[in-house]
Amino acid sequence: NQSTMSDAKALLRQGAESRIYKIEFKGQPAVLKDRFKKRYRHPTLDQKLTKRRVKAEVRAVGRCRDLGVCAPELYDVDEDRGRIVFEYIHGLTVRDVLLKQCNQEGGSYDLSSSKLMQRIGVDLAKLHDGNLIHGDLTTSNLIVPDDSRCLVVIDFGLSAHSQSIEDKAVDLYVLEKAFLSTHPNSEDLVSEILTSYQKRSSFGSIVLARLEKVRARGRKRTMIG
């Protein structure tokens, strides 16, 4: 609703599909996700695809919360313009938490990181047991709020509903790759996540067995180039 939205916008992130802004909405700090028009697509098709993706993202956020995993509250949705307004979460991304700690500890991580990884594993198990695939799991899409009430999962723009063990394994593989490429010496942290995931998920052992095959395919692709 344009009348309740401030014109002042600060760009937080630019992606291939959308721009993320910090705005003010009804006097509260908020996040605007704006799926901009794609000039290379026919306007009618572009609007159709945008509406479908906005609906899917809104459903995924609601599903996430229903499964007992924290996600930002939805403030406003405009399907025609491809816009969603979310609650602004005051806190640090897991990426920033880990980079800060790694710098302070000289390349290592302490017990608080271990507990955080266990929490990530539990929350991902809840999502996957509910057949919700995030699609873009990175340490930038997980936020530790200032009040530490829970871990908040954001950006469901590539999410999907799927019972597929393969899809769940690929979701974990994406997160694993994000860790290893962004955070030095983070192999033990990834192990903490996967151990926690396996304990909590009804399909944990099956998904982790498939993850091994996904890794093998990834290594093969790297070798072949």
Side-chain angles (χ1 to χ4, degrees):
N1 188 333
Q2 200 63 23
S3 61
T4 55
M5 196 185 297
S6 164
D7 289 333
K9 293 190 292 189
L11 184 66
L12 296 177
R13 209 191 312 185
Q14 163 88 49
E17 294 289 322
S18 61
R19 297 185 187 94
I20 312 293
Y21 298 96
K22 184 178 180 185
I23 63 164
E24 194 175 280
F25 182 82
K26 294 186 177 179
Q28 295 289 326
V31 171
L32 166 66
K33 182 168 188 175
D34 183 14
R35 286 183 175 272
F36 45 80
K37 288 183 175 68
K38 307 296 182 301
R39 303 293 176 194
Y40 57 84
R41 281 201 295 243
H42 187 280
T44 307
L45 174 64
D46 186 59
Q47 188 173 37
K48 201 174 187 178
L49 287 172
T50 297
K51 282 180 83 165
R52 188 188 302 162
R53 286 171 182 168
V54 167
K55 279 182 181 176
E57 184 163 4
V58 168
R59 274 198 306 271
V61 171
R63 180 74 179 139
C64 180
R65 292 163 71 92
D66 289 344
L67 291 169
V69 177
C70 291
E73 189 180 336
L74 283 166
Y75 286 166
D76 193 60
V77 181
D78 187 335
E79 291 174 9
D80 292 324
R81 299 175 74 187
R83 291 179 164 189
I84 310 174
V85 181
F86 296 98
E87 165 193 12
Y88 179 81
I89 306 295
H90 294 273
L92 290 174
T93 62
V94 168
R95 179 182 186 275
D96 289 340
V97 168
L98 293 179
L99 289 176
K100 184 178 174 185
Q101 192 179 103
C102 192
N103 289 335
Q104 288 173 345
E105 302 293 327
S108 62
Y109 306 92
D110 65 20
L111 187 61
S112 65
S113 287
S114 178
K115 288 179 179 173
L116 179 56
M117 297 309 110
Q118 290 166 24
R119 212 149 107 195
I120 292 171
V122 167
D123 281 353
L124 295 187
K126 288 180 185 177
L127 294 185
H128 285 180
D129 280 9
N131 297 320
L132 180 57
I133 309 298
H134 184 278
D136 189 20
L137 286 171
T138 68
T139 51
S140 294
N141 285 335
L142 302 167
I143 298 179
V144 181
D146 290 342
D147 58 13
S148 292
R149 65 186 186 276
C150 59
L151 187 70
V152 181
V153 185
I154 63 168
D155 197 356
F156 286 85
L158 297 175
S159 64
H161 182 273
S162 173
Q163 297 180 20
S164 162
I165 296 299
E166 174 79 10
D167 289 346
K168 293 168 187 179
V170 169
D171 220 21
L172 293 180
Y173 181 67
V174 168
L175 181 62
E176 184 176 76
K177 293 289 283 182
F179 260 90
L180 300 179
S181 64
T182 309
H183 305 286
N185 310 316
S186 61
E187 290 83 0
D188 288 347
L189 298 183
V190 174
S191 293
E192 292 266 15
I193 293 172
L194 298 179
T195 300
S196 177
Y197 177 92
Q198 185 171 13
K199 285 179 184 172
R200 175 61 176 75
S201 171
S202 307
F203 312 97
S205 298
I206 305 169
V207 175
L208 292 194
R210 184 61 65 90
L211 175 59
E212 283 292 341
K213 293 181 178 179
V214 174
R215 282 180 187 139
R217 288 204 307 268
R219 284 194 292 269
K220 193 173 178 183
R221 276 198 301 271
T222 305
M223 286 165 58
I224 294 169

